[in-house]
Amino acid sequence: MIVLPGQKVADAAQPGQGVFIEDNKTYASTLAILRDGRVIPQKGQYKPLVEDFVVGLVKDVQFNGYHVDVNAPFESFISNRESLEEFKAGEVVSAKVVEVNELHEATLSQPRKFPPGTVIEISFVKVPRVIGRNGSMLDMIKTATGTEIFVGKNGRIFLTGGNIKLAIKAIGKIDAEAHTQGLTDAVKEFLEKNKENDA
Amino acid sequence: MSTTNPPKPLFREDGKRLSGREDTDLREIKMQVGIFKKAQGSAMAEWGKNKVVAGVYGPKEVFPKFLADPYKGIIAARYIMAPFSGAEEHGRAGPNRRSLEISKVVRHVFENNVLLQEFPKTGIDIQMEVIQSDGGTRVTAIAAASLALIDAGIPVYDIVTPISVGKVGGKMVVDLDKDEDNFGEGDLPMAFSLRTGELLLWQMDGLISRDELEDGLNKGFEAAQKVRVVQEAALKEKYGDFNGSDTGQN
Amino acid sequence: MVLILDKIKAEEVKALAAKGERLDGRGFKDYRDIKVDVRPLQNPEGSAMAHFGDTKVLVGVKVDLVKPFADRPTDGVISVNCEFTPLAHPAFEPGPPKEESIELARVVDRAIRSAEVLPLAKLGENPTEDGRVLGVYVDVYPLDHNGNLTDAASLAAMCALKNTIVPKIEGDLLIRGEDGGKLPLQRQATTCSFEVVSGNIFVDATDIEEIASYGRVSIGVTDDGFLCAGQKSGAAGISRDKLLELADLALENRKFLFSKI
C-alpha cells in the first residue's frame, strides 16, 4: 500500500527511516510502502552509517587526505593515514564508514581503488533489493552474467567483467520494480531469457 | 484593482461567474510528477490556463559556504515568469520585484514544510518557472513545487495544498482567474498543510471585512481538499502501482 | 546577516517569551512610544517621520507629472519604494534592494492601493494636453532599524500623504512651490504587524524580537474598519482561527495608530 508524505502510519511513536513523530503519532515523510506494518521508504538521501561499505568518487586532494563524494549531501573524508596508496581526483574507490558526526559527515577507512570497470548509481533505498535475502538476488545476477559486482550501501555499484550490459539491465529492472512482488522470479526469468542476446 | 476602467461585469445574468463557474468551483487542474531527467525532483501543474513547471535540486552543498546553516538545511526558492507567459505583450526576462516577493513567501512555505534539520549545512533549490499565466500563478507554482520536493525524495511534513480565494462582485469566491484577479475587489492566495490545517502562505490585497476574511478562509480550506485530490493522484500515478501485500517476498 | 550578539539576545527573548515576558517589560500587545513628525522636510511635497520606540522611518512624497500606463490613460500613478540604507543597521548593505525591502515596499503599497487611499481615477482626473497625469512617489527611508519597520513605514506614509501639497499645474507645467491643494484622499490605511515568538504573538516587535521570531503576519487596516492588506512572512504556520484573532486585534489597534497622525 503506497503511503504519501503527511499520511499517518501509526497511532504510536515509531521512529525510523522516512517518518516523523508528532503528538506521539507516526507519519510518513517520504513516499513509502507499508508492508507488514513496516514503513519502507521508496525515496531518500543516503546518510552514511558506521560499518557501511560505499563506492566513493575522490573529489579533491587535501594535504592530509581526500574529500570523497559518496552520493550524499554530506562531506566524507579519507585520511592519508588510512592507506599508502595515493589517489587522484576523479578516481573511484571502495571504502568503509568508520565514524559519523552529528552533521552526518563521515570518516572513511580501508580505501581501495577499483580496477577498470563501470560504476552505476541507483537510489540507495533499492540497495537491499539488489542484494536480496542473504545476498540471493546479487548472487543470481553474478552467476548469470559472470560479472564482478560490488554494491555500495550508498546506491553506487561497481561492475567489471562478464556480461556487464546484462548485469546493468538486471539491476535497472530491480531499481524500477523494487516495490513489486515476485521480483526475484521476474529477474531470474529476465536473466535466462537474455543470457545469449547480450553476451 | 478598480480604477477608471469600467469594471468588467464579472457575473453573468444566471448568477454564475463569467467562466460559467459557481462560487466554489475550481478550474480544471492537472498535475504530473517526475517529468524532467536532470532535476532531482520535478513536477508540472496546469491550473486553468496556468502552466508552471517546478524542479528541485538538493540537498546539496551551499555556495557561498558562509550562507550554510550548521544546524539545518536552507531553502532557496526562485519563482520566475517566462517572458512569453502572459497573454499580452512580451514581458521582460528575469526577476522583477513581484517575482522576488513571491519567491520569498514561497520559500517561507517550504521552510516550514521540509524536515530541514535532517540536512545540516546543505541547501535545497526550488525553481518554479511560469510558462503560461492566467491568474493564480503563485498558487499553481506552490502546487507543483510541493510535488517536486516529494519526487526528489526530500522528507516533508505534508503535501502543501494551495488555493486562491477572492472577493468578486461582493461575494467571496474560490480560484480567481485573471479577469477576476484584475477587476475583483480582493485576492487572497493561501496554502495549507491540510493535515494540521495551518496556513503556510497567506497574502491579501483588496478591501474586505473581517467576516469576509473568515468566509474566504473557510471556503479556501474546503476547496483545498479538492486540490489535494489532484496532487495525490499525480503522485499515485507515478509511484502508486505499489501492489505490495503482506506476503511480499524480499 | 545576523550579528552574533543579536543572536544571543534573541535566545534570551525566546526564553522570556515562554515565561510571558518581553525584554523591555512590555506586555505582548503593547506598543512602544509612538510619535509621528508631520512634514519635517520642505523639499518633498509631503513628508513624515515615524518613531516607534527607537525605530525611525522617514517617508518622503514627491508629486510629478508622468505618462500614465498605456492601458489606463486616465489613471494617476502611485509608486511605493523602500531603501534599506546601511545607515539604519549594521547588517544593511549597499546595493540593489534585497527581498526584505522589496517586501516592505510592496506590503505598504498594497495597503495604500487596496484601500484606495488615493483613488487613481481622481489622481488622473485632469491630464495635461500631452496626456500626462499626476504621479505620486512614496519613498520609505528607514533611518534607525530597531524593529517593526513595516508599521512605522505605513504610518509615516499615510501621514506624509495627508500633508502632501500638490504643486500647481498650469497648462503642461508643474510649478513646485505653488500650492495646488491637497491630495484627494478618500480614507486612511496603515498596517499592524505581529511576530510569532515561542508560540506567542508580539505587537510592535523590536529588531531582536524579530530575530527571535519564527514568523510574521502584517495586516493592513482602514480607518473605516476594513482589512486592506495581508502578508504572512517567515516560516511560522498559522491556523485560520489565529489569523482571525490577529485581524480582530489589528482592527482594535487601528484607532490608537490613526490617532498618532
Side-chain angles (χ1 to χ4, degrees), chain B residues 105-157:
Chain B
V105 292
V106 170
R107 180 180 84 238
H108 293 317
V109 167
F110 294 110
E111 279 171 343
N112 188 313
N113 177 244
V114 173
L115 275 71
L116 291 171
Q117 65 279 17
E118 300 212 347
F119 308 103
K121 273 166 81 167
T122 69
I124 295 172
D125 284 351
I126 305 175
Q127 312 276 12
M128 296 154 284
E129 306 274 345
V130 178
I131 57 183
Q132 187 162 281
S133 72
D134 188 38
T137 52
R138 88 193 62 186
V139 145
T140 311
I142 291 173
S146 179
L147 296 186
L149 279 168
I150 294 171
D151 185 44
I154 293 174
V156 291
Y157 288 111

Side-chain angles (χ1 to χ4, degrees), chain A residues 12-16 19-27, chain B residues 115 157:
Chain A
Q14 284 172 11
V19 300
F20 65 92
I21 317 281
E22 201 175 276
D23 291 336
N24 246 304
K25 304 204 204 321
T26 310
Y27 300 86
Chain B
L115 275 71
Y157 288 111

Side-chain angles (χ1 to χ4, degrees), chain A residues 72-104:
Chain A
F74 313 105
E75 297 270 327
S76 291
F77 191 75
I78 299 179
S79 146
N80 276 334
R81 290 181 274 119
E82 292 298 327
S83 157
L84 289 173
E85 227 185 319
E86 273 184 10
F87 304 101
K88 291 202 288 270
E91 286 186 324
V92 184
V93 298
S94 70
K96 182 174 176 192
V97 180
V98 291
E99 210 186 298
V100 179
N101 67 14
E102 327 76 51
L103 298 179
H104 309 292

Side-chain angles (χ1 to χ4, degrees), chain B:
Chain B
M1 282 286 83
S2 65
T3 60
T4 46
N5 282 0
K8 247 183 172 175
L10 292 165
F11 280 92
R12 313 192 309 201
E13 276 175 12
D14 61 0
K16 297 207 182 166
R17 293 147 79 175
L18 271 188
S19 52
R21 287 191 280 150
E22 303 280 0
D23 297 355
T24 51
D25 284 347
L26 297 177
R27 290 171 286 183
E28 194 189 345
I29 310 175
K30 281 192 285 187
M31 298 195 215
Q32 259 182 291
V33 174
I35 52 175
F36 295 137
K37 187 154 149 62
K38 278 291 192 297
Q40 275 159 259
S42 58
M44 166 144 98
E46 297 173 88
W47 191 318
K49 269 173 63 185
N50 293 300
K51 285 198 214 297
V52 179
V53 289
V56 167
Y57 285 90
K60 57 195 182 78
E61 239 185 299
V62 177
F63 291 112
K65 286 213 158 145
F66 70 81
L67 286 180
D69 185 331
Y71 299 105
K72 60 188 201 301
I74 62 174
I75 304 240
R78 195 164 174 269
Y79 161 105
I80 287 272
M81 294 186 85
F84 47 76
S85 58
E88 275 106 55
E89 75 276 350
H90 183 253
R92 264 211 301 249
N96 57 25
R97 287 156 59 94
R98 174 180 167 276
S99 58
L100 286 170
E101 186 201 355
I102 293 176
S103 299
K104 179 177 196 278
V105 292
V106 170
R107 180 180 84 238
H108 293 317
V109 167
F110 294 110
E111 279 171 343
N112 188 313
N113 177 244
V114 173
L115 275 71
L116 291 171
Q117 65 279 17
E118 300 212 347
F119 308 103
K121 273 166 81 167
T122 69
I124 295 172
D125 284 351
I126 305 175
Q127 312 276 12
M128 296 154 284
E129 306 274 345
V130 178
I131 57 183
Q132 187 162 281
S133 72
D134 188 38
T137 52
R138 88 193 62 186
V139 145
T140 311
I142 291 173
S146 179
L147 296 186
L149 279 168
I150 294 171
D151 185 44
I154 293 174
V156 291
Y157 288 111
D158 197 6
I159 301 174
V160 179
T161 308
I163 185 76
S164 75
V165 165
K167 182 172 171 184
V168 175
K171 292 195 282 172
M172 299 307 283
V173 303
V174 155
D175 191 20
L176 305 184
D177 60 34
K178 188 167 75 138
D179 282 340
E180 291 171 329
D181 192 355
N182 287 339
F183 297 104
E185 302 102 84
D187 174 24
L188 290 84
M190 54 187 90
F192 289 97
S193 159
L194 287 177
R195 184 174 65 82
T196 62
E198 278 193 332
L199 289 154
L200 301 182
L201 174 92
W202 177 73
Q203 296 179 286
M204 191 200 108
D205 68 49
L207 207 60
I208 66 175
S209 74
R210 180 250 183 244
D211 289 342
E212 284 167 339
L213 174 62
E214 185 169 5
D215 187 23
L217 289 172
N218 292 337
K219 286 201 165 102
F221 188 72
E222 291 304 310
Q225 320 282 340
K226 300 187 211 167
V227 177
R228 175 62 164 246
V229 169
V230 181
Q231 289 178 300
E232 291 188 359
L235 286 169
K236 288 188 181 157
E237 195 193 317
K238 172 95 188 186
Y239 294 107
D241 60 345
F242 292 169
N243 52 6
S245 82
D246 289 343
T247 58
Q249 57 179 173
N250 200 9

